[in-house]
Structure formats: C-alpha cells, structure tokens
Amino acid sequence: MTPAFLSVRDLHVSFRTEDGVVRAVDGLSFDLDQGKTLGIVGESGSGKSVTNLTILGLHNPLFTTVEGEIVLDGQELTTAHESELEKLRGNKVAMIFQDPLSALSPYYTVGRQIAEPYMKHTGASRKAAWKRAVEMLGKVGIPHPAERAKDYPHQFSGGMRQRAMIAMALICDPDLLIADEPTTALDVTVQAQILDLLKDLQREFGTAIIFITHDLGVIADMADDIMVMYAGGAIERGTVREVLRSPRHPYTWGLLNSMPRLDSDLSTPLSPVPGAPPSLLTPPPGCRFHPRCAFQDRVGGNRCVTERPLLAPDRASACHLTAQQKHTIFIDEIKPRLRHGQEDTA
Ligand SMILES: Nc1ncnc2c1ncn2[C@@H]1O[C@H](COP(=O)(O)OP(=O)(O)OP(=O)(O)O)[C@@H](O)[C@H]1O
Ligand SMILES: [Mg+2]
C-alpha cells in the first residue's frame, strides 16, 4: 500500500503554561491522500487549529512539546529544521487562518503581501509577481483588483481581508491547503464563490485540503472524509456519507443535533451537547467524553471511566458501545429526534 500524502501518527502537542501543562492534542492519527479533502469538526477548544499549526511548525518551541509523526510526501515534519519548514510554508503547504489580521501585516500593501511568497518561492520578478497577485485578487472576487492591490489591510473590509488571505494562500498552488474556518465571516454568495475556487484549485492541481468548519452543510459539500475531534483526539472518522448518515459516537450524535440547518428557522433554539468540554490541564480518566455521555450505563461496568476507547484505523468511532448498540441507538433513539432532514445532509 502506498503511504498517504499526509500521514499523522500518534500526535501529541502540549503547551507549558503558568497553570500547568495543557494537552491540546493527545494521540491523534489520520491520513490524507492527494486531491482529497478532509473535513475536521469539533467544539471550540478541541484542538483543530493546534493540530494544523503543528503541521506547519508554527508553535513556539520554547513552550511547546510535539511528539509523534507528521509525514508529508515522504518528509518528516516534527523533526524538520526551521529552514526546511520555511521552504514548505506558503509553497507546498499553505494555510488560510481563522483570523485574517493574524496573517496580514498592517505595514505593507495587500498586493505586496500576496506577491511576496510568489517571488520568494518561484523566483519571479517583482513585476510578474505583482501581476499574478492582482490576478489572484480578481479570482477571489475583489472588484477593481489592480487598484485595490495598492491598499493597506485596514482599507479592506473584514470579508475582503479574508479573501486577500485566501489569494495569498493560493498564489503558489500549494499541494496541501489547510483552511481554518475560511468562509465563516463571509456572506453566502461570496462563500459559495470561494468554495468553488477551492474546488477548481483541487481539480486542476490535485491539492489535498484540510477543511475546518462548524458548518456541516459546507463539509457535506466540500469534504470526502470527516474527522470529529473532541478534547484533543479524534473520536469518529469516516466518509462524509458514513458519518453524516450513520454516526456512531454519542458526541457526534449530539453535534448533529446541535447543528442548524442552512434552511432552518433561526428562532428554533439549538440543542447543544449538554455540559462543557473537559479541562485539558487535568483531562478526565477513561473516555474523555464520559462526563457528558448519556450512554455509559449501556456499556456496563466502569469501563467508560477507567479505559480510554481507541479509534481503529479506518471507519471508526472511539466508544465502548458495541457496533450493534451504536447502530440500534442511532436508528431508534437519535435519528427520530434530529431536525427534519438532517440525516439527508450528505
Ligand atoms: N499557545 C498556547 N498555549 C496554551 N494553550 C493553548 C495554546 N494554543 C492553544 N491552546 C489551547 O489548546 C486547546 C485547543 O485549541 P485550538 O485552538 O486548537 O481549538 P480549536 O478546536 O481550533 O477551537 P476553535 O473552534 O475555537 O477555533 C484550547 O484549550 C486552547 O486554549
Ligand atoms: Mg481554531
């Protein structure tokens, strides 16, 4: 079997803080093939951004411990030298950040900032890079791109900054694109344009995409596979169809139930998973989800409290319920309660 284009194995990322060690990612493994899209979902604080910043080597090594393996196209990244990572970033791997202001400098024009990585990685002239930057701004839907390229980020609206950052990420045709909530701040029409642009890029260049979003509609539209994260680990993984149509983890059931549908009436209150995510300083023993789980008694004994369920390599959920129990509970108890049509998202 050929190895995956991106392979993450038993990844652990922890931060030393004044309060103690925060275990933000704790034993995470996944694969992504060329030309495919992996959607990552999970509550705030589950480790989605930390995982992806680790792939890019963007954590401060003074406060961060990274263990495990990240292999991209045969190259091991957790032990790579900063100069090698520097070569990868913006070129082979690009990221669209959650917050555009963190990626754009206030001191340079937008055009220059988009042109810069292109010059650096392709050796193009300043003039050619500027032309390409203007072209990219046009592609992401900025009107009058030749003029707007001369603006500074503060002269752009939030949505325009987001699009500028997307232009910057795409300018070198990366092999791996990490998109962290890339369209959340955009209106629906622009969002659709950007998603189409990403799909075109993928079709043309075989780009692999990691797509982080809270929007299951977007996941259903964009992703091949889904990974559901909880408290620093993957608790369920499978194809979009499998996970959205027959989810097998109690947390995923709660998540599906809490997602608003695109056409939902906004006055309908959401029903989020009761309880709060655990502390990453002192995570609960056993299954990290057990304090919020309504199905522990069906497992029997004390297993959920004492034994951490593991995720098998392929289609899987990290839960001690048997496969038969997961199926029956979903069909009999969960599915009928989901908002009408939710199960048809895929
Ligand atoms: N540099 C850091 N130092 C200490 N703790 C951190 C650091 N970066 C992230 N964390 C913690 O790691 C956990 C995971 O954070 P992360 O940003 O990955 O969450 P997320 O899943 O991306 O959430 P969101 O949906 O809100 O973006 C959080 O508890 C966060 O507070
Ligand atoms: Mg995040």
Side-chain angles (χ1 to χ4, degrees), residues 151-217:
D151 283 350
Y152 289 85
H154 73 266
Q155 292 168 286
F156 272 34
S157 69
M160 282 168 67
R161 283 198 285 263
Q162 188 84 6
R163 283 183 264 171
M165 184 172 51
I166 294 170
M168 186 155 76
L170 301 188
I171 195 164
C172 290
D173 304 325
D175 295 332
L176 172 62
L177 177 72
I178 298 171
D180 196 346
E181 303 267 5
T183 56
T184 312
L186 304 175
D187 67 54
V188 180
T189 325
V190 179
Q191 171 170 325
Q193 277 169 17
I194 299 288
L195 297 181
D196 283 343
L197 185 72
L198 295 180
K199 283 188 216 159
D200 287 348
L201 172 91
Q202 183 165 55
R203 224 172 289 129
E204 194 172 346
F205 299 104
T207 318
I209 301 180
I210 295 180
F211 202 101
I212 303 174
T213 176
H214 285 103
D215 189 332
L216 275 191

Coordinates of all heavy atoms in Angstrom, one line a residue, residues 151-217:
D151 N -4.0 49.0 -1.8 CA -4.5 49.4 -0.5 C -3.8 48.6 0.7 O -3.2 47.6 0.4 CB -6.0 49.0 -0.4 CG -6.9 50.0 -1.1 OD1 -6.4 51.0 -1.5 OD2 -8.1 49.6 -1.3
Y152 N -3.8 49.2 1.9 CA -3.3 48.5 3.1 C -4.5 47.7 3.7 O -5.7 48.0 3.4 CB -2.8 49.6 4.1 CG -1.5 50.2 3.6 CD1 -1.5 51.3 2.7 CD2 -0.3 49.6 3.9 CE1 -0.4 51.8 2.2 CE2 0.9 50.1 3.4 CZ 0.9 51.2 2.5 OH 2.0 51.7 2.0
P153 N -4.2 46.7 4.5 CA -5.2 45.8 5.0 C -6.4 46.6 5.7 O -7.5 46.2 5.6 CB -4.5 44.9 6.0 CG -3.1 44.8 5.4 CD -2.8 46.1 4.8
H154 N -6.0 47.7 6.4 CA -7.1 48.4 7.2 C -8.1 49.1 6.2 O -9.2 49.4 6.6 CB -6.5 49.4 8.2 CG -5.9 50.6 7.5 ND1 -4.6 50.7 7.2 CD2 -6.5 51.8 7.1 CE1 -4.4 51.9 6.6 NE2 -5.5 52.6 6.5
Q155 N -7.7 49.2 4.9 CA -8.6 49.8 4.0 C -9.6 48.8 3.4 O -10.5 49.1 2.7 CB -7.9 50.5 2.8 CG -7.1 51.7 3.3 CD -6.1 52.2 2.3 OE1 -5.0 51.6 2.0 NE2 -6.4 53.3 1.6
F156 N -9.4 47.5 3.8 CA -10.2 46.4 3.3 C -11.3 46.1 4.4 O -11.0 46.3 5.6 CB -9.4 45.1 3.1 CG -8.8 45.0 1.7 CD1 -8.4 46.1 1.0 CD2 -8.7 43.7 1.1 CE1 -7.9 46.0 -0.3 CE2 -8.2 43.6 -0.1 CZ -7.8 44.7 -0.9
S157 N -12.5 45.7 4.0 CA -13.5 45.2 5.0 C -13.0 43.8 5.4 O -12.1 43.2 4.9 CB -14.8 45.1 4.3 OG -14.8 44.0 3.4
G158 N -13.6 43.3 6.5 CA -13.3 42.0 7.1 C -13.4 40.9 6.0 O -12.5 40.1 5.9
G159 N -14.4 40.9 5.2 CA -14.6 39.9 4.2 C -13.6 40.0 3.1 O -13.1 39.0 2.6
M160 N -13.2 41.2 2.8 CA -12.2 41.4 1.8 C -10.8 41.0 2.2 O -10.0 40.4 1.5 CB -12.1 42.9 1.3 CG -13.3 43.2 0.3 SD -13.4 45.0 0.1 CE -11.9 45.3 -0.8
R161 N -10.5 41.2 3.5 CA -9.2 40.7 4.1 C -9.2 39.2 4.0 O -8.2 38.6 3.7 CB -9.1 41.2 5.5 CG -8.7 42.7 5.7 CD -8.2 43.0 7.0 NE -9.2 43.0 8.0 CZ -9.8 44.1 8.5 NH1 -9.4 45.3 8.0 NH2 -10.7 44.1 9.4
Q162 N -10.3 38.6 4.4 CA -10.4 37.1 4.3 C -10.1 36.6 2.9 O -9.3 35.7 2.7 CB -11.8 36.7 4.7 CG -12.0 35.2 4.9 CD -11.6 34.8 6.3 OE1 -11.3 35.6 7.1 NE2 -11.6 33.5 6.5
R163 N -10.6 37.3 1.9 CA -10.4 36.9 0.5 C -8.9 37.2 0.1 O -8.4 36.4 -0.6 CB -11.4 37.6 -0.4 CG -12.7 37.0 -0.3 CD -13.7 37.7 -1.3 NE -14.5 38.7 -0.7 CZ -15.3 39.5 -1.3 NH1 -15.3 39.5 -2.6 NH2 -15.9 40.4 -0.7
A164 N -8.4 38.3 0.6 CA -7.0 38.6 0.3 C -6.1 37.5 0.9 O -5.1 37.0 0.2 CB -6.6 39.9 0.9
M165 N -6.4 37.0 2.1 CA -5.6 35.9 2.7 C -5.7 34.7 1.8 O -4.8 33.9 1.7 CB -6.0 35.7 4.1 CG -5.2 34.7 4.8 SD -5.6 34.6 6.5 CE -7.4 34.4 6.4
I166 N -6.9 34.4 1.3 CA -7.1 33.2 0.5 C -6.3 33.3 -0.8 O -5.6 32.4 -1.2 CB -8.6 33.0 0.2 CG1 -9.3 32.7 1.5 CG2 -8.9 31.9 -0.8 CD1 -10.9 32.7 1.5
A167 N -6.2 34.6 -1.3 CA -5.4 34.8 -2.5 C -3.9 34.5 -2.2 O -3.2 33.9 -3.0 CB -5.6 36.2 -3.0
M168 N -3.5 34.9 -1.0 CA -2.1 34.7 -0.6 C -1.8 33.2 -0.5 O -0.8 32.8 -0.9 CB -1.9 35.5 0.7 CG -0.5 35.5 1.2 SD -0.2 36.9 2.2 CE -1.0 36.4 3.7
A169 N -2.8 32.5 0.1 CA -2.6 31.1 0.3 C -2.5 30.3 -1.0 O -1.8 29.3 -1.1 CB -3.7 30.5 1.2
L170 N -3.3 30.8 -2.0 CA -3.4 30.0 -3.2 C -2.4 30.4 -4.3 O -2.3 29.7 -5.3 CB -4.8 30.2 -3.8 CG -6.0 29.7 -2.9 CD1 -7.3 29.8 -3.7 CD2 -5.7 28.3 -2.4
I171 N -1.7 31.5 -4.1 CA -0.9 32.0 -5.2 C 0.2 31.0 -5.7 O 0.6 31.0 -6.9 CB -0.3 33.4 -4.8 CG1 0.2 34.1 -6.1 CG2 0.8 33.3 -3.8 CD1 0.5 35.6 -6.0
C172 N 0.7 30.2 -4.8 CA 1.8 29.2 -5.2 C 1.2 27.9 -5.6 O 2.0 26.9 -5.6 CB 2.9 29.1 -4.2 SG 3.9 30.6 -4.0
D173 N -0.1 27.7 -5.7 CA -0.7 26.4 -6.0 C -0.2 25.4 -5.0 O 0.5 24.4 -5.4 CB -0.4 26.0 -7.4 CG -0.9 27.0 -8.4 OD1 -1.9 27.6 -8.2 OD2 -0.2 27.1 -9.4
P174 N -0.5 25.5 -3.7 CA 0.1 24.5 -2.7 C -0.4 23.1 -3.0 O -1.5 22.9 -3.5 CB -0.5 25.0 -1.4 CG -1.7 25.8 -1.8 CD -1.4 26.4 -3.1
D175 N 0.4 22.1 -2.5 CA 0.0 20.7 -2.6 C -1.0 20.4 -1.5 O -1.8 19.5 -1.6 CB 1.2 19.8 -2.5 CG 2.1 19.9 -3.7 OD1 1.6 20.3 -4.8 OD2 3.3 19.7 -3.5
L176 N -0.8 21.0 -0.4 CA -1.7 20.8 0.8 C -2.1 22.2 1.2 O -1.4 23.1 1.5 CB -0.9 20.2 2.0 CG -1.7 20.1 3.3 CD1 -2.9 19.3 3.2 CD2 -0.8 19.6 4.4
L177 N -3.4 22.4 1.3 CA -4.0 23.6 1.7 C -4.8 23.4 3.0 O -5.6 22.5 3.1 CB -5.0 24.2 0.7 CG -5.7 25.5 1.1 CD1 -4.7 26.6 1.1 CD2 -6.9 25.8 0.2
I178 N -4.5 24.1 4.1 CA -5.2 24.0 5.3 C -6.1 25.2 5.5 O -5.6 26.3 5.5 CB -4.2 23.9 6.5 CG1 -3.3 22.7 6.3 CG2 -5.0 23.9 7.8 CD1 -2.2 22.6 7.3
A179 N -7.4 25.0 5.5 CA -8.3 26.1 5.5 C -9.1 26.0 6.9 O -9.9 25.1 7.1 CB -9.3 26.0 4.4
D180 N -8.7 27.0 7.8 CA -9.3 27.0 9.1 C -10.5 28.0 9.2 O -10.2 29.2 9.2 CB -8.2 27.4 10.1 CG -8.6 27.1 11.6 OD1 -9.8 26.8 11.8 OD2 -7.7 27.1 12.4
E181 N -11.7 27.5 9.1 CA -12.9 28.3 9.1 C -12.7 29.4 8.0 O -12.9 30.6 8.3 CB -13.1 29.0 10.4 CG -13.2 28.0 11.6 CD -14.6 27.7 11.9 OE1 -15.5 28.1 11.2 OE2 -14.8 26.9 12.9
P182 N -12.4 29.1 6.8 CA -12.1 30.1 5.8 C -13.2 31.0 5.4 O -13.0 32.1 4.9 CB -11.6 29.3 4.6 CG -12.3 28.0 4.7 CD -12.5 27.7 6.2
T183 N -14.4 30.5 5.5 CA -15.5 31.4 4.9 C -16.6 31.8 6.0 O -17.6 32.4 5.6 CB -16.3 30.6 3.8 OG1 -16.7 29.3 4.4 CG2 -15.4 30.2 2.7
T184 N -16.2 31.6 7.2 CA -17.2 31.9 8.3 C -17.7 33.3 8.3 O -18.8 33.6 8.5 CB -16.6 31.5 9.7 OG1 -16.1 30.2 9.5 CG2 -17.7 31.5 10.7
A185 N -16.7 34.2 8.0 CA -17.0 35.7 8.1 C -17.7 36.2 6.8 O -18.0 37.4 6.7 CB -15.8 36.4 8.4
L186 N -17.8 35.4 5.8 CA -18.2 35.9 4.5 C -19.7 35.6 4.3 O -20.3 34.7 4.8 CB -17.5 35.2 3.4 CG -15.9 35.2 3.5 CD1 -15.3 34.4 2.4 CD2 -15.5 36.7 3.4
D187 N -20.3 36.5 3.4 CA -21.7 36.3 3.2 C -21.9 35.1 2.2 O -20.9 34.6 1.6 CB -22.5 37.5 2.6 CG -22.0 37.9 1.3 OD1 -22.0 37.1 0.4 OD2 -21.5 39.1 1.1
V188 N -23.1 34.6 2.1 CA -23.3 33.3 1.5 C -22.9 33.2 0.0 O -22.3 32.3 -0.4 CB -24.8 32.9 1.6 CG1 -25.1 31.6 0.9 CG2 -25.3 32.9 3.1
T189 N -23.1 34.4 -0.7 CA -22.7 34.4 -2.1 C -21.2 34.3 -2.3 O -20.7 33.5 -3.1 CB -23.2 35.7 -2.8 OG1 -24.4 36.1 -2.2 CG2 -23.3 35.5 -4.3
V190 N -20.5 35.1 -1.5 CA -19.0 35.1 -1.6 C -18.5 33.7 -1.1 O -17.6 33.2 -1.7 CB -18.4 36.2 -0.7 CG1 -16.9 36.2 -0.8 CG2 -18.9 37.6 -1.2
Q191 N -19.1 33.2 0.0 CA -18.7 31.9 0.5 C -18.8 30.8 -0.6 O -17.8 30.1 -0.8 CB -19.6 31.5 1.6 CG -19.4 30.1 2.1 CD -20.2 29.8 3.4 OE1 -20.3 30.6 4.3 NE2 -20.7 28.6 3.5
A192 N -19.9 30.9 -1.4 CA -20.0 29.9 -2.5 C -19.0 30.1 -3.5 O -18.4 29.1 -4.0 CB -21.4 30.0 -3.1
Q193 N -18.6 31.3 -3.8 CA -17.5 31.6 -4.8 C -16.2 31.0 -4.3 O -15.5 30.4 -5.1 CB -17.3 33.1 -5.0 CG -18.3 33.8 -5.9 CD -18.1 35.3 -5.7 OE1 -17.1 35.8 -5.2 NE2 -19.1 36.1 -6.2
I194 N -15.9 31.3 -3.1 CA -14.6 30.8 -2.5 C -14.6 29.3 -2.5 O -13.6 28.7 -2.9 CB -14.4 31.3 -1.1 CG1 -14.4 32.8 -1.0 CG2 -13.2 30.7 -0.4 CD1 -13.2 33.5 -1.6
L195 N -15.7 28.6 -2.1 CA -15.7 27.2 -2.1 C -15.5 26.6 -3.5 O -14.8 25.7 -3.7 CB -17.0 26.6 -1.5 CG -17.2 27.0 0.0 CD1 -18.5 26.4 0.5 CD2 -16.0 26.6 0.9
D196 N -16.1 27.3 -4.5 CA -15.9 26.9 -5.9 C -14.5 27.0 -6.3 O -13.9 26.2 -7.0 CB -16.8 27.7 -6.8 CG -18.3 27.2 -6.8 OD1 -18.5 26.1 -6.3 OD2 -19.2 27.9 -7.2
L197 N -13.9 28.1 -5.9 CA -12.5 28.4 -6.2 C -11.6 27.3 -5.7 O -10.7 26.8 -6.4 CB -12.1 29.8 -5.6 CG -10.7 30.3 -6.0 CD1 -10.7 30.7 -7.4 CD2 -10.4 31.5 -5.1
L198 N -11.8 26.9 -4.4 CA -11.0 25.8 -3.8 C -11.2 24.5 -4.6 O -10.3 23.8 -4.8 CB -11.4 25.6 -2.3 CG -11.1 26.8 -1.4 CD1 -11.6 26.5 0.0 CD2 -9.6 27.2 -1.4
K199 N -12.5 24.3 -5.0 CA -12.7 23.0 -5.7 C -12.0 23.0 -7.1 O -11.4 22.0 -7.5 CB -14.2 22.8 -6.0 CG -14.9 22.3 -4.8 CD -16.4 22.0 -5.1 CE -17.3 22.3 -4.0 NZ -18.7 22.5 -4.4
D200 N -12.0 24.2 -7.7 CA -11.3 24.3 -9.0 C -9.8 24.1 -8.8 O -9.2 23.3 -9.6 CB -11.4 25.8 -9.6 CG -12.8 26.0 -10.1 OD1 -13.6 25.0 -10.3 OD2 -13.2 27.2 -10.4
L201 N -9.2 24.7 -7.8 CA -7.8 24.5 -7.5 C -7.5 23.0 -7.3 O -6.5 22.5 -7.8 CB -7.5 25.3 -6.2 CG -6.1 25.1 -5.7 CD1 -5.1 26.1 -6.2 CD2 -6.1 25.2 -4.1
Q202 N -8.4 22.4 -6.6 CA -8.2 21.0 -6.3 C -8.2 20.1 -7.5 O -7.4 19.3 -7.8 CB -9.2 20.5 -5.3 CG -9.1 19.1 -4.8 CD -9.9 18.8 -3.6 OE1 -11.1 19.0 -3.6 NE2 -9.3 18.3 -2.6
R203 N -9.2 20.4 -8.4 CA -9.3 19.7 -9.6 C -8.1 19.9 -10.5 O -7.6 19.0 -11.1 CB -10.6 20.2 -10.4 CG -11.4 19.0 -10.9 CD -12.7 19.5 -11.5 NE -13.7 19.9 -10.4 CZ -14.3 21.1 -10.4 NH1 -14.1 22.0 -11.4 NH2 -15.2 21.3 -9.4
E204 N -7.7 21.2 -10.6 CA -6.6 21.5 -11.5 C -5.2 21.0 -11.0 O -4.4 20.5 -11.8 CB -6.5 23.0 -11.7 CG -5.6 23.5 -12.8 CD -5.8 25.0 -13.1 OE1 -6.7 25.6 -12.5 OE2 -4.9 25.5 -13.8
F205 N -5.0 21.1 -9.7 CA -3.6 20.8 -9.2 C -3.5 19.6 -8.3 O -2.5 19.2 -7.8 CB -3.1 22.0 -8.5 CG -2.9 23.2 -9.3 CD1 -3.8 24.3 -9.2 CD2 -1.9 23.3 -10.3 CE1 -3.7 25.4 -10.0 CE2 -1.8 24.4 -11.1 CZ -2.7 25.5 -11.0
G206 N -4.7 18.9 -8.1 CA -4.7 17.7 -7.2 C -4.3 18.1 -5.8 O -3.7 17.3 -5.0
T207 N -4.7 19.3 -5.3 CA -4.4 19.8 -4.0 C -5.1 18.9 -2.9 O -6.3 18.6 -3.1 CB -4.9 21.2 -3.8 OG1 -4.6 22.0 -5.0 CG2 -4.3 21.9 -2.6
A208 N -4.5 18.6 -1.9 CA -5.1 18.0 -0.7 C -5.6 19.1 0.2 O -4.8 20.1 0.4 CB -4.1 17.1 0.0
I209 N -6.8 19.0 0.7 CA -7.3 20.1 1.6 C -7.7 19.6 2.9 O -8.4 18.6 3.0 CB -8.5 20.8 0.9 CG1 -8.1 21.4 -0.5 CG2 -9.1 21.9 1.7 CD1 -9.2 22.1 -1.3
I210 N -7.3 20.3 4.0 CA -7.9 20.1 5.3 C -8.8 21.2 5.6 O -8.4 22.4 5.5 CB -6.8 20.0 6.4 CG1 -5.9 18.8 6.2 CG2 -7.4 19.9 7.8 CD1 -4.8 18.7 7.2
F211 N -10.1 20.9 5.8 CA -11.1 22.0 5.9 C -11.7 22.0 7.3 O -12.4 21.0 7.6 CB -12.1 21.7 4.8 CG -12.9 22.9 4.4 CD1 -12.6 23.6 3.3 CD2 -13.9 23.4 5.2 CE1 -13.3 24.8 2.9 CE2 -14.6 24.5 4.9 CZ -14.3 25.2 3.7
I212 N -11.5 23.0 8.0 CA -12.0 23.1 9.4 C -13.2 24.0 9.4 O -13.1 25.1 8.9 CB -11.0 23.7 10.4 CG1 -9.7 22.8 10.4 CG2 -11.6 23.7 11.8 CD1 -8.6 23.4 11.2
T213 N -14.4 23.5 9.8 CA -15.5 24.3 9.8 C -16.6 23.8 10.9 O -16.5 22.7 11.3 CB -16.2 24.3 8.4 OG1 -17.4 25.1 8.5 CG2 -16.6 22.9 8.0
H214 N -17.4 24.7 11.3 CA -18.5 24.3 12.1 C -19.8 24.0 11.3 O -20.8 23.6 11.8 CB -18.9 25.5 13.1 CG -17.9 25.6 14.2 ND1 -16.9 26.6 14.2 CD2 -17.7 24.8 15.3 CE1 -16.2 26.4 15.3 NE2 -16.6 25.4 16.0
D215 N -19.7 24.2 10.0 CA -20.8 24.2 9.2 C -20.9 22.8 8.4 O -20.2 22.5 7.5 CB -20.7 25.3 8.1 CG -22.0 25.5 7.3 OD1 -22.7 24.5 7.2 OD2 -22.3 26.6 6.9
L216 N -21.8 22.0 8.9 CA -21.9 20.6 8.3 C -22.4 20.7 6.9 O -22.0 19.8 6.1 CB -22.9 19.8 9.1 CG -22.3 19.1 10.3 CD1 -23.3 18.1 10.8 CD2 -21.0 18.3 10.0
G217 N -23.1 21.7 6.5 CA -23.5 21.9 5.1 C -22.3 22.0 4.2 O -22.2 21.4 3.1

